[in-house]
């Protein structure tokens, strides 16, 4: 059977080439698959099954990569600072470099920070009295009110910068404790009012 298959294959090659050349001479050359199929048809029936027709090449699949998800960019200056600056303690303060304002309750001091460095301060402060202690923590500035008046205590709070509910930096007495706010001198209150933006981080340390 092996000798017969080899002879059959030789015959297929001869017939296939003859078909290709004759087709080319006539102006319409048959494909290689058509020539081989014709050659197989000329073989005896007992040998046609022993010769496999060439398998069709699998279709080529083009893989299109999925589009990358859009990057989420920081929107506020406080968020951009948190990305840009490594969170380390700023020398001379108890606060981390991601904060824009730093309050030391036990030391009665406050600073403005910028890119992990002291930009202003320390300045003296007073904070909440007994029963109204200023809570420690990290907060974000929510809004400003240049000529704010307390609706609870009917007291003026010039240059208010709110960062924890009703708690704010504002101009106030440096000899009397507050109801939770951070009192600053007029000069310092104006500096904090002008420097802090909505979303900036305020760190209050006990």
């Amino acid at each position: 059977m092996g000798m017969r298959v080899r002879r059959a294959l030789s015959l297929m090659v001869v017939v296939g080439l003859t078909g290709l050349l004759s087709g080319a001479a006539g102006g319409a050359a048959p494909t290689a698959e058509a020539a081989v199929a014709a050659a197989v048809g000329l073989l005896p029936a007992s040998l046609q099954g022993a010769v496999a027709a060439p398998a069709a090449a699998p279709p080529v699949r083009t893989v299109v990569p999925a589009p990358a998800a859009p990057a989420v960019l920081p929107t506020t200056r406080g968020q951009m600072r948190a990305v840009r600056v490594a969170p380390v303690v700023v020398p001379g303060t108890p606060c981390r470099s991601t904060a824009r304002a730093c309050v030391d309750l036990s030391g009665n001091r406050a600073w403005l920070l910028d890119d992990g460095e002291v930009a202003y301060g320390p300045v003296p402060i007073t904070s909440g009295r007994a029963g109204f202690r200023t809570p420690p923590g990290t907060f974000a500035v929510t809004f400003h009110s240049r000529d704010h008046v307390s609706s609870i205590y009917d007291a003026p709070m010039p240059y208010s910068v709110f960062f924890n509910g009703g708690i704010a930096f504002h101009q106030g007495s440096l000899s009397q404790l507050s109801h939770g706010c951070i009192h600053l001198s007029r000069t310092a209150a104006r500096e904090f009012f002008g420097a802090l933006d909505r979303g900036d981080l305020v760190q209050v340390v006990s």
Side-chain angles (χ1 to χ4, degrees), residues 25-140:
T31 63
E33 290 82 358
V36 172
V40 172
L42 297 177
L43 295 174
S46 61
L47 295 179
Q48 290 184 12
V51 181
V60 178
R61 298 181 61 186
T62 303
V63 179
V64 180
V72 178
L73 301 177
T75 55
T76 68
R77 188 171 68 179
Q79 291 172 330
M80 289 188 289
R81 181 175 294 105
V83 171
R84 187 171 62 249
V85 180
V88 297
V89 175
V90 178
T93 79
C95 297
R96 298 172 73 83
S97 54
T98 48
R100 181 74 173 105
C102 174
V103 178
D104 179 5
L105 296 176
S106 61
N108 294 318
R109 300 175 299 170
W111 298 259
L112 287 173
L113 308 177
D114 190 13
D115 286 342
E117 298 180 353
V118 173
Y120 179 73
V123 294
I125 66 164
T126 53
S127 58
R129 66 189 69 178
F132 300 92
R133 298 296 186 193
T134 305
T138 301
F139 313 93

